[in-house]
Amino acid sequence: MQQQDGLPTSRQILLAASRLFMEKGFDSVSMNQVAERCGITKASIYYYFPTKTELFVASIVETLTQVNERIRELLEQPGTFQSRLIRITENYLKVPQVHMNGMFEQVKRHLTDEQQQTLIQYENGLYETLKEGFEAAVKSREIACEDPLLTAHIYVSMLRVGERQYDHTQVLFPSERDAAEAIVAFLWRGIHI
């Protein structure tokens, strides 16, 4: 089944659900809201995803897969590793954030062990992709780093600083670009040769 915009209905549901879960959190999203956002019936949602938990897991897996593909794409672009990291950071900061740790804690009681492991596996895939990028930069002698996986985790932790807001009017950085440049510059001081 396909919707008007050419996307298969199941994919459209996943995209709408992931946006809603990122914006509102698991508990605040209903199957009705997802159906309304897609312009389809709630029965159509249940046809593809029998439970809200299954929809959540599938939508987060879809989001993490897209993010991982985009990171790989940016890592393969020409330019210095530092400029590619800035592009990755800026891309990350431009989209509504999935605070995985907080969201996983909120949803954990609803997930089976298998579902939890699936989400962990896909999140770890992001770290592996970043690790490969750091390893390639070490190999090309752009950076020095003894533990690329640890560096990837530190980098992702630093990304969360870039999205920091104190309230609607006071932000830590004036733009995503400023945040990206500051975060990468700070990291760069510890890993450049």
Side-chain angles (χ1 to χ4, degrees):
M1 200 157 105
Q2 294 213 341
Q3 286 295 102
Q4 300 166 351
D5 59 8
L7 284 177
T9 301
S10 60
R11 181 139 166 75
Q12 186 181 27
I13 292 167
L14 289 175
L15 293 173
S18 66
R19 285 187 199 109
L20 283 167
F21 287 128
M22 285 188 275
E23 292 167 8
K24 301 175 181 240
F26 180 80
D27 291 332
S28 299
V29 174
S30 70
M31 296 296 249
N32 277 335
Q33 289 171 315
V34 176
E36 286 173 18
R37 176 90 45 114
C38 293
I40 60 176
T41 66
K42 189 164 78 169
S44 295
I45 306 279
Y46 283 114
Y47 174 79
Y48 292 100
F49 304 98
T51 68
K52 180 177 159 181
T53 305
E54 288 177 59
L55 175 60
F56 173 79
V57 171
S59 69
I60 297 303
V61 164
E62 174 72 15
T63 298
L64 292 172
T65 299
Q66 287 179 7
V67 168
N68 203 356
E69 288 171 4
R70 182 66 179 144
I71 290 170
R72 279 193 188 285
E73 216 176 87
L74 291 168
L75 284 171
E76 292 170 4
Q77 288 183 352
T80 65
F81 182 63
Q82 184 178 22
S83 68
R84 287 178 278 153
L85 270 183
I86 290 171
R87 284 194 296 271
I88 291 168
T89 305
E90 193 171 9
N91 271 261
Y92 172 88
L93 296 172
K94 284 183 178 179
V95 295
Q97 299 311 313
V98 179
H99 301 284
M100 289 298 176
N101 294 338
M103 193 178 296
F104 285 170
E105 285 306 311
Q106 181 189 47
V107 179
K108 200 174 190 176
R109 69 182 186 277
H110 301 286
L111 302 177
T112 65
D113 288 343
E114 184 180 330
Q115 289 171 324
Q116 289 180 39
Q117 288 308 309
T118 297
L119 293 177
I120 289 167
Q121 173 191 343
Y122 278 87
E123 185 180 21
N124 286 343
L126 298 177
Y127 291 109
E128 276 299 312
T129 300
L130 290 166
K131 179 188 110 176
E132 291 167 14
F134 284 108
E135 286 173 337
V138 168
K139 190 174 182 177
S140 68
R141 304 191 48 78
E142 288 184 77
I143 64 170
C145 140
E146 291 179 22
D147 189 339
L149 184 58
L150 176 61
T151 306
H153 278 272
I154 291 168
Y155 168 68
V156 170
S157 294
M158 292 174 72
L159 292 177
R160 294 187 181 115
V161 173
E163 62 197 37
R164 178 73 167 104
Q165 290 195 108
Y166 298 99
D167 61 35
H168 295 299
T169 60
Q170 186 182 12
V171 295
L172 192 56
F173 298 102
S175 71
E176 288 91 2
R177 182 68 183 189
D178 291 326
E181 288 175 353
I183 289 166
V184 173
F186 191 84
L187 177 68
W188 203 252
R189 284 193 285 279
I191 62 174
H192 80 282
I193 295 181

